C-alpha cells in the first residue's frame, strides 16, 4: 500500500479507502459502479452553491460516500421478503422521496413485481406485506446502527458517524426511524438526500428528468426546499459529467480541507471494517474475512515472507471478499444445488473484489493477492483461470488460508468441518496440484494440525523446487549457491537430482518446467549480480 518498507508510521488519505467502500455499496444495492461517487460529487457542488461552512461540507462528503453502508446488514431480510434480487433498487429507492401514494406503490411493486400474473401478485403481497411490516422497524434501526458503527471504525469523526441515525428521515416527517422533520434533520443529511435522489433520477432518466423530479419533490415537501431548489436551479452545472469518464479523481479532489488521514492502526481498523461489511451479507460468512486474515498472516510468516509481505497478505485477506456483496444474499443462503447462473455469479465475486480494490492507488497493490484467492496452480480456479506461473507466494498463502477457513465455517448447505477433516482435504488439494504444498504446510502448522508429507511436482524436495525456481530465473550454479547460502557443489548436486526427477537435461527445459508448475516466483529472493559477468 505504498508504504516505506518496514514502516509503521504510514499515513494515507481516508477518502481513498472510503471511496473504495462506496464502490462496494454500489455493488451491494445493484447500481452502476461509481453511482455513489457521482452522488458525492453532486453533493459537493451543491455545497458550493449553498456556500456551506467547511465542517458541513466535510460531513456531507463522507456521509454521502457511505450513504448505503448499511446495505449488507439488511440483505438477508430483503432476500426473504422480496422475490427479485433488485426489487428495492428497481421499485422502491427511486420513489423514496416521492408522495406517500408513490412510495406505497413502489413498495407494492417490490413485493409483487409487475411482470407476474395478477393471482401471483396477490399471493406475493399477502405473504410479503406482513413480513415487511414486522421487519421494517428493525431494518431501519439496523441500517442506522451499522452505519454508525462501521463509519467509526473507518476513522471518521463522531459528528460524521452520528449522521447515520438520520439517513432514513425526510423533510416532511414521513421518514424513519424517528419521523423527524425539517431542520431537526442535520443539514449535511438534507444535502445528501437531494444529491442521492438526483443521482438516482439521473440514472433512470437523464439530467433534465433529475432536475424536474427534484423540483417537484421540493414543492411536495419531501426534501429540504432550500437545498432542493438550489439544486434544481443550478442542475446543469451540478450534474455536468462526461459520460465516458470515471469520476474517481474528481470525487477525491472534491474532498474538503483539511483532508482526513489515517495512521497505521487506523488503516488496519478500516480494512477490518470493510471485511466485516462484506461478511454481513450472510450470517454464514460472519467473521470470515478477519479469520482468514489472521490465519494467512501466520502462514505467510511460516513460508518465510518478510514483514511487509506479511502485512500485505493480512490486508489483502481483509478485503479479498468485498466482491461478495455483488452476489445476492439469497444465493449465499441457498441450501440446495445452485443453478448455472447463480454459480457463475459466485465465481464473479473475485472479479468484483478486484474492480473495487484496483480503483484506489493505495489498495491496488493488494489486488494480485486478494483477487486471486480462488485461483489454483492447475488453472482450475476462478475468475481468471490463472495457473501456477501467475500466482505469487503471497497469493498462494491466501488461497490456502481461505480454503481452510471456509471449510471450518458453516454454510447453508453443510455444517462446519472439524479442522482435522479440513486439514486432510487441504492436503489433498496440494497433492492434486491445486494448492501450493508450502502454503498448505504453513496453514496446517499455524492451526496446529500434523502436516502429512506433501509431494511437489516430479517428486522434488523443497530445496530442489527452490533451486529449479532459481534456474527458471536465469541464475547460474554459483549464483544459486550464493542466493541459498550453500556451496557450489551442493547447488550442483541439487540441480542434477532435480534434472533427473523432471526428465530434462537443459536449463531451458528446466525453466519451462519451472514456469509450468509455478516454481518461478519473482522478487522473493534477491538475484545476485555476478561481478565477472558482462
Amino acid at each position: 500500500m505504498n508504504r516505506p518498507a518496514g514502516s509503521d508510521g504510514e499515513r494515507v488519505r481516508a477518502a481513498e479507502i472510503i471511496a473504495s467502500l462506496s464502490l462496494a455499496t454500489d455493488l451491494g444495492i445493484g447500481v452502476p459502479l461509481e453511482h455513489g461517487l457521482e452522488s458525492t460529487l453532486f453533493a459537493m457542488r451543491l455545497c458550493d452553491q449553498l456556500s456551506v461552512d467547511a465542517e458541513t461540507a466535510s460531513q456531507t462528503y463522507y456521509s454521502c460516500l457511505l450513504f448505503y453502508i448499511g446495505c449488507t446488514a439488511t440483505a438477508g431480510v430483503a432476500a426473504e421478503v422480496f422475490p427479485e434480487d433488485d426489487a428495492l433498487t428497481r421499485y422502491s429507492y427511486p420513489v423514496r422521496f416521492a408522495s406517500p401514494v408513490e412510495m406505497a406503490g413502489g413498495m407494492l411493486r417490490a413485493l409483487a413485481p409487475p411482470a407476474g400474473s395478477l393471482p401471483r401478485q396477490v399471493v406475493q403481497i399477502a405473504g410479503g406485506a406482513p413480513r415487511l411490516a414486522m421487519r421494517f422497524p428493525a431494518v431501519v434501526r439496523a441500517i442506522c446502527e451499522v452505519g454508525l458503527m462501521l463509519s467509526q471504525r473507518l476513522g471518521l469523526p463522531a459528528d460524521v458517524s452520528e449522521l447515520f441515525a438520520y439517513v432514513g428521515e425526510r423533510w416532511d416527517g414521513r421518514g424513519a426511524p424517528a419521523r423527524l422533520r425539517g431542520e431537526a434533520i442535520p443539514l449535511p443529511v438534507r444535502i445528501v438526500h437531494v444529491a442521492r435522489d438526483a443521482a438516482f433520477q439521473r440514472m433512470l432518466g437523464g439530467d433534465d428528468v433529475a432536475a424536474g423530479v427534484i423540483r417537484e419533490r421540493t414543492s411536495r415537501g419531501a426534501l429540504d426546499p432550500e437545498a432542493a431548489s438550489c439544486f434544481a436551479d443550478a442542475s446543469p452545472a451540478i450534474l455536468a459529467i462526461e459520460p465516458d469518464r470515471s469520476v474517481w479523481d474528481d470525487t477525491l479532489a472534491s474532498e474538503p480541507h483539511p483532508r482526513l488521514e489515517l495512521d497505521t492502526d487506523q488503516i488496519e481498523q478500516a480494512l477490518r471494517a470493510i471485511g466485516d461489511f462484506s461478511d454481513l451479507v450472510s450470517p454464514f460468512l460472519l467473521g470470515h474475512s478477519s479469520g482468514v486474515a489472521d490465519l494467512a498472516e501466520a502462514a505467510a510468516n511460516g513460508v518465510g515472507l518478510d514483514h511487509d509481505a506479511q502485512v500485505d497478505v493480512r490486508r489483502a485477506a481483509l478485503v479479498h471478499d468485498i466482491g461478495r456483496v455483488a452476489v445476492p444474499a439469497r444465493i449465499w443462503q441457498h441450501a440446495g444445488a445452485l443453478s448455472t447462473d447463480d454459480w457463475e455469479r459466485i465465481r464473479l465475486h473475485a472479479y468484483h473484489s478486484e474492480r473495487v480494490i484496483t480503483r484506489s492507488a493505495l489498495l491496488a497493490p493488494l489486488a494480485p493477492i486478494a483477487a486471486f484467492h480462488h485461483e489454483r496452480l492447475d488453472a482450475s480456479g476462478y475468475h481468471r483461470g490463472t495457473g501456477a506461473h501467475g500466482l505469487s507466494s503471497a497469493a498462494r498463502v491466501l488461497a490456502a488460508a481461505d480454503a481452510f477457513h471456509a471449510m471450518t465455517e458453516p454454510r447453508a448447505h453443510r455444517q462446519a468441518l472439524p479442522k482435522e477433516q479440513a486439514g486432510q482435504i487441504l492436503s489433498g488439494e496440494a497433492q492434486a496440484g491445486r494448492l501450493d504444498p508450502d502454503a498448505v504446510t504453513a496453514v496446517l502448522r499455524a492451526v496446529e494440525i500434523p502436516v502429512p508429507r506433501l509431494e511437489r511436482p516430479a517428486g522434488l524436495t523443497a530445496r530442489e523446487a527452490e533451486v529449479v525456481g532459481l534456474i527458471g530465473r536465469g541464475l547460474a550454479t554459483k549464483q544459486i549457491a550464493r542466493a541459498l547460502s550453500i556451496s557450489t557443489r551442493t547447488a550442483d548436486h541439487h540441480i542434477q537430482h532435480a534434472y533427473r526427477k523432471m526428465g530434462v537435461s537443459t536449463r531451458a527445459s528446466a525453466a519451462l518446467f519451472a514456469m509450468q508448475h509455478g516454481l518461478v516466483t519473482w522478487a522473493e529472493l534477491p538475484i545476485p549480480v555476478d561481478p565477472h559477468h558482462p
Side-chain angles (χ1 to χ4, degrees), residues 374-390:
H374 282 296
E375 304 292 352
R376 295 295 182 259
L377 300 183
D378 64 353
S380 64
Y382 57 87
H383 65 283
R384 280 189 171 86
T386 298
H389 64 282

Side-chain angles (χ1 to χ4, degrees), residues 231-460:
F231 171 87
D233 292 341
S235 61
I238 292 175
L239 297 176
I241 291 178
E242 297 179 28
D244 299 326
R245 182 172 176 269
S246 168
V247 297
W248 175 274
D249 291 337
D250 290 341
T251 304
L252 288 184
S254 72
E255 181 186 14
H257 291 273
R259 290 171 171 172
L260 184 63
E261 291 189 340
L262 305 180
D263 60 26
T264 301
D265 291 340
Q266 290 172 317
I267 293 168
E268 294 291 328
Q269 282 189 350
L271 296 181
R272 285 192 179 269
I274 290 176
D276 290 348
F277 164 81
S278 61
D279 293 348
L280 273 175
V281 75
S282 168
F284 294 105
L285 302 173
L286 297 184
H288 174 78
S289 297
S290 291
V292 172
D294 294 339
L295 178 56
E297 182 181 18
N301 179 60
V303 298
L305 297 183
D306 63 26
H307 170 73
D308 282 355
Q310 292 176 39
V311 171
D312 284 345
V313 168
R314 180 179 70 245
R315 292 181 175 181
L318 290 172
V319 299
H320 78 285
D321 265 343
I322 190 65
R324 279 188 190 270
V325 302
V327 182
R330 66 162 180 84
I331 296 179
W332 298 120
Q333 295 172 194
H334 185 64
L338 294 175
S339 69
T340 300
D341 181 63
D342 286 348
W343 176 235
E344 191 61 26
R345 296 175 83 168
I346 285 180
R347 287 168 60 89
L348 284 174
H349 84 269
Y351 163 78
H352 290 301
S353 291
E354 182 174 14
R355 296 306 301 144
V356 168
I357 295 169
T358 53
R359 292 298 181 94
S360 167
L362 297 172
L363 298 179
L366 302 179
I369 308 171
F372 287 71
H373 63 283
H374 282 296
E375 304 292 352
R376 295 295 182 259
L377 300 183
D378 64 353
S380 64
Y382 57 87
H383 65 283
R384 280 189 171 86
T386 298
H389 64 282
L391 302 177
S392 68
S393 288
R396 298 175 188 209
V397 165
L398 177 55
D402 177 69
F404 178 86
H405 207 280
M407 286 188 281
T408 60
E409 299 166 334
R411 292 292 183 262
H413 60 284
R414 61 162 174 79
Q415 296 294 318
L417 301 183
K419 70 176 188 178
E420 291 77 14
Q421 183 180 355
Q424 292 173 357
I425 296 173
L426 200 72
S427 298
E429 290 295 289
Q431 297 283 15
R434 288 186 283 270
L435 291 175
D436 181 80
D438 294 326
V440 168
T441 297
V443 166
L444 297 183
R445 286 176 176 164
V447 295
E448 299 181 344
I449 292 179
V451 180
R453 179 181 178 84
L454 298 178
E455 295 293 333
R456 291 171 176 78
L460 297 174

